[in-house]
Amino acid sequence: MANKYEMMTVRVTAIDEVTPLIKRFTLEATNGENLPAFTGGSHVIVQMQDGAKRHSNAYSLMSSPRDLSCYQIGVRREEQSKGGSAFMHDKVAVGDTLTISTPNNLFALSDTGSKHVLIAGGIGITPFVSQMAELAERGADYELHYSFRSFEHGAFAGELAAGAHGERCRFYVNSEGTPLNVDALVDKTTKDGHVYVCGPRPLIDAVISACRRRGLAEEQIHWEQFAAAPQTGGAFTVVLAKSGRELQVEEGGSILKAIESTVSVECLCREGVCGTCETKILEGEAEHFDQYLSDAEKAAQQTMMICVSRAKGARIVLDL
Ligand code: FES
């Protein structure tokens, strides 16, 4: 499929250590001009050349869509880092240049609905910062519910409380004994409201279930996971139809890793976000782990993202 991203070079003009685990990077165009426009909830893909290794991670833009003089991203150092977040924390300095993609939005705000309820867990706060700027600009009714383990993990809570959206933010701190009650919150949602959630998988699942129980339509429920879902499932055979080659994908392994030394596939993010590795399924069905395809597209079983998605059965034939 055609790559909808274009790559560009930006300069790192500020790095704030928000917490010991989270840094905020400010990025500006190297020619001093404005950066491409984006909407609240958009992300960019940052490509990092770390010696011989290349990392690509998607990060939500957390600056205002009204201010294109810079982008800001929040990067949490992941304990299970494949290398990208550690690279950003340890090796990127003010004045360095980075290669990033143009923005894309898989977590866009709805144009309809009487109210927008935003629910964040931990570093899942980042897309909501740009979304709140857009909602305020629209004059929309919105509220943010931001849940985190302890104040050490609640990056941006202080800034949000003191900032332009402070009146609309509620904070839930597990270590203080004030956790978020998802069911109670969703039960108060207006019937024509929209609910957005970003954070760890259990929070996303809890919010989706509560919204369905409340009777909200699927198009009123919006979610984004900030890291690729862990790939699970047994070993299977992948068949590359063009050459007839059959390769084994190990338990929990990715198709991409199993085939990339045999066939070249364009892969920008390697975490199910960008869509560049979308591949036609000729036989068999996929277990989808990506965030790119819609639920309807996943159910149709026509294509899959081979960087994260796997076969449902023992064998899958791909148009490669
Ligand atoms: S490489 Fe981005 S979705 Fe697969």
Side-chain angles (χ1 to χ4, degrees):
M1 92 176 240
N3 183 357
K4 58 160 55 177
Y5 295 85
E6 280 174 34
M7 303 310 286
M8 58 188 171
T9 305
V10 291
R11 189 168 307 284
V12 179
T13 55
I15 301 175
D16 309 309
E17 188 163 324
V18 185
T19 73
L21 284 179
I22 295 172
K23 286 185 175 178
R24 175 172 46 205
F25 294 79
T26 302
L27 313 173
E28 295 182 22
T30 48
N31 60 7
E33 291 183 2
N34 274 351
L35 291 160
F38 69 98
T39 49
S42 295
H43 66 271
V44 293
I45 292 165
V46 180
Q47 268 187 350
M48 297 156 257
Q49 196 64 45
D50 184 9
K53 279 198 216 144
R54 177 179 273 191
H55 310 291
S56 293
N57 286 9
Y59 294 110
S60 298
L61 293 177
M62 48 185 313
S63 41
S64 168
R66 296 283 294 164
D67 178 6
L68 299 176
S69 65
C70 70
Y71 292 158
Q72 288 185 318
I73 56 173
V75 179
R76 182 190 149 94
R77 181 194 286 277
E78 296 299 339
E79 285 148 26
Q80 305 293 330
S81 174
K82 289 178 282 169
S85 70
F87 178 88
M88 290 295 289
H89 271 253
D90 299 336
K91 301 199 179 159
V92 176
V94 171
D96 287 355
T97 56
L98 285 173
T99 302
I100 69 168
S101 71
T102 46
N104 189 25
N105 200 345
L106 301 178
F107 194 45
L109 291 162
S110 170
D111 292 329
T112 62
S114 59
K115 186 159 187 169
H116 302 265
V117 177
L118 318 176
I119 303 173
I123 191 66
I125 186 65
T126 54
F128 294 127
V129 181
S130 63
Q131 285 192 337
M132 284 197 291
E134 183 173 328
L135 287 165
E137 174 81 16
R138 286 187 197 175
D141 191 7
Y142 64 96
E143 57 190 43
L144 172 78
H145 298 266
Y146 180 14
S147 160
F148 42 89
R149 219 186 308 166
S150 64
F151 279 106
E152 201 199 9
H153 291 87
F156 313 112
E159 285 180 25
L160 286 168
H165 313 283
E167 296 278 289
R168 295 178 178 270
C169 299
R170 303 282 176 275
F171 304 100
Y172 307 86
V173 193
N174 293 354
S175 64
E176 304 284 303
T178 54
L180 170 65
N181 183 333
V182 169
D183 289 326
L185 172 61
V186 170
D187 282 347
K188 283 192 283 172
T189 309
T190 50
K191 280 284 186 188
D192 69 339
H194 282 258
V195 176
Y196 307 76
V197 56
C198 181
R201 190 71 231 183
L203 175 68
I204 292 173
D205 289 342
V207 171
I208 293 173
S209 309
C211 289
R212 287 180 180 153
R213 262 201 314 276
R214 171 97 173 107
L216 298 190
E218 292 300 313
E219 54 272 21
Q220 292 171 270
I221 313 168
H222 313 262
W223 58 271
E224 183 167 74
Q225 197 172 354
F226 54 78
Q231 297 155 33
T232 52
F236 60 90
T237 302
V238 58
V239 182
L240 308 178
K242 289 182 182 157
S243 62
R245 290 280 305 264
E246 297 200 3
L247 298 160
Q248 293 307 307
V249 180
E250 63 189 25
E251 182 177 343
S254 88
I255 293 179
L256 177 60
K257 283 208 184 113
I259 69 169
E260 63 187 342
S261 59
T262 305
V263 65
S264 141
V265 186
E266 191 184 358
C267 290
L268 184 54
C269 75
R270 305 175 80 96
E271 50 184 18
V273 173
C274 73
T276 54
C277 70
E278 184 171 11
T279 301
K280 239 193 223 161
I281 303 169
L282 299 179
E283 268 177 52
E285 291 203 336
E287 186 80 59
H288 297 283
F289 290 100
D290 67 280
Q291 299 173 59
Y292 186 81
L293 296 175
S294 66
D295 287 348
E297 287 168 330
K298 285 176 181 167
Q301 294 286 352
Q302 297 293 304
T303 65
M304 70 188 293
M305 300 301 150
I306 59 167
C307 59
V308 292
S309 299
R310 310 182 80 249
K312 249 187 196 159
R315 186 170 181 273
I316 193 160
V317 183
L318 300 177
D319 186 20
L320 284 173

